[in-house]
Amino acid sequence: MHSREEQMAAFGRLLDVLERLRKECPWDKKQTNESLRPNTIEETFELAEALIHDDQDNICEELGDVLMHVCFYALMGAEKDSFDLADVCQREADKLIFRHPHIYGQVHAETEKEVLDNWEQIKLKEKKGKKRVLSGVPSSLPALIKAYRIQDKARHVGFDWAQREQVWDKVKEELDELRAELDKGDEQRSEHELGDFLFSVINAARLYHLNPDNALEQTNRKFINRFNYIEDHSIKQGKPLTDMTLEEMDQLWNEAKQMETDTH
């Protein structure tokens, strides 16, 4: 691994490259916070994909892309005399120190839960009553992740189930309400109840310390792999998927499922 001096030199090189591109490259010259935003979102998702696959080489590359965007926004901030990269780094360091009093202060916290509870309480104090508890949840988050964060924020101020097992009654209640609306054929009400049901399932996952986003992504990939197995066989047989019976597809699906079991 590189020394601190080598790492700082590499970081300085990146800043030098970005500053030159901002001055000389027609594309880089035109960029604004708004124009760069979609690219930043895309790069973040590409990093998330690399993290899911634990592809170290790709993680390194995608981290570089995300870091470049952080530096680019700071560069544009400096052009407006609003802030520069030093301000970004100092503010984040100050925030981390302030939110870790069990490391930099006298607060006691030995478990992860105690650390997280302290973190949320400190963030509430930082707001000084100017913001609501849930205002820290970005509105642009994907709905599943947003639901989890909303519930977790509420938990830190005591709005939670006394016993986690109680959540299953709520899950059943929401499922029954969803089925009732589906039986009535009311599409709008059914969608409303579906949201309530999904919210309750996410809440259950949170209470049992499971990450619903990771869980769903694992299932997505599992479905893709199994369906691809079916499609591969249809190609080998020269038989379009549309000509396959459901029974044939089910048999191949179960074969793919068994292969996963044998692998693990």
Side-chain angles (χ1 to χ4, degrees):
M1 288 291 96
H2 297 92
S3 66
R4 172 64 66 86
E5 290 76 15
E6 290 171 326
Q7 293 180 57
M8 296 305 295
F11 188 50
R13 178 170 178 251
L14 174 61
L15 294 179
D16 289 340
V17 170
L18 283 174
E19 287 177 356
R20 180 173 181 179
L21 291 178
R22 182 66 171 169
K23 293 176 182 177
E24 300 180 20
C25 174
W27 186 88
D28 288 276
K29 284 181 181 179
K30 291 177 59 178
Q31 297 314 303
T32 64
N33 287 343
E34 187 60 29
S35 68
L36 198 60
R37 177 177 171 273
N39 302 72
T40 306
I41 294 172
E42 181 179 348
E43 295 296 353
T44 303
F45 276 102
E46 288 179 359
L47 172 59
E49 180 75 11
L51 292 169
I52 286 172
H53 294 291
D54 196 26
D55 184 336
Q56 295 299 306
D57 186 63
N58 201 21
I59 290 172
C60 179
E61 181 176 348
E62 298 302 339
L63 279 172
D65 291 340
V66 172
L67 178 60
M68 183 275 288
H69 278 248
V70 172
C71 294
F72 207 135
Y73 288 115
L75 181 59
M76 290 189 290
E79 292 169 355
K80 300 174 183 177
D81 289 326
S82 299
F83 62 89
D84 60 17
L85 194 59
D87 295 312
V88 173
C89 294
Q90 293 289 10
R91 182 174 295 188
E92 187 61 24
D94 289 342
K95 187 192 300 182
L96 288 171
I97 291 171
F98 183 71
R99 292 184 182 178
H100 289 78
H102 55 289
I103 302 297
Y104 293 96
Q106 304 301 316
V107 174
H108 180 76
E110 293 186 352
T111 68
E112 179 185 3
K113 181 180 182 302
E114 289 175 333
V115 171
L116 291 175
D117 286 342
N118 286 338
W119 181 280
E120 290 297 333
Q121 292 300 322
I122 290 168
K123 287 170 70 176
L124 285 174
K125 291 178 181 177
E126 287 176 340
K127 295 175 182 177
K128 299 177 182 178
K130 296 179 181 178
K131 294 183 179 179
R132 295 182 180 274
V133 172
L134 302 181
S135 63
V137 181
S139 60
S140 58
L141 275 179
L144 191 153
I145 299 174
K146 187 192 296 185
Y148 188 96
R149 293 295 295 134
I150 288 170
Q151 295 164 2
D152 196 50
K153 290 277 188 181
R155 173 183 72 85
H156 285 290
V157 293
F159 191 75
D160 205 0
W161 298 97
Q163 301 294 329
R164 67 180 183 179
E165 292 79 8
Q166 295 172 313
V167 75
W168 296 117
D169 290 334
K170 186 63 175 175
V171 172
K172 183 179 183 303
E173 174 190 329
E174 297 296 354
L175 177 58
D176 290 342
E177 291 178 1
L178 170 59
R179 296 182 67 176
E181 294 300 336
L182 288 170
D183 289 341
K184 294 177 186 176
D186 188 326
E187 185 174 341
Q188 185 174 4
R189 288 294 305 170
S190 294
E191 186 174 275
H192 174 83
E193 294 300 339
L194 175 60
D196 289 348
F197 172 65
L198 293 174
F199 194 85
S200 69
V201 172
I202 293 168
N203 209 2
R206 177 186 61 82
L207 288 164
Y208 282 84
H209 308 294
L210 300 173
N211 186 311
D213 188 65
N214 288 347
L216 184 57
E217 178 55 28
Q218 289 174 23
T219 297
N220 288 339
R221 284 185 281 145
K222 186 164 51 180
F223 186 95
I224 290 171
N225 290 336
R226 293 177 185 175
F227 195 84
N228 285 346
Y229 182 83
I230 297 173
E231 192 169 20
D232 289 342
H233 275 69
S234 75
I235 294 172
K236 289 178 183 177
Q237 296 171 12
K239 187 176 184 178
L241 282 173
T242 51
D243 290 345
M244 273 191 171
T245 65
L246 182 58
E247 289 73 18
E248 289 175 317
M249 289 185 179
D250 279 340
Q251 181 180 349
L252 290 169
W253 178 277
N254 289 328
E255 286 180 14
K257 185 177 180 180
Q258 184 59 48
M259 289 173 61
E260 292 171 359
T261 303
D262 295 342
T263 302
H264 293 91

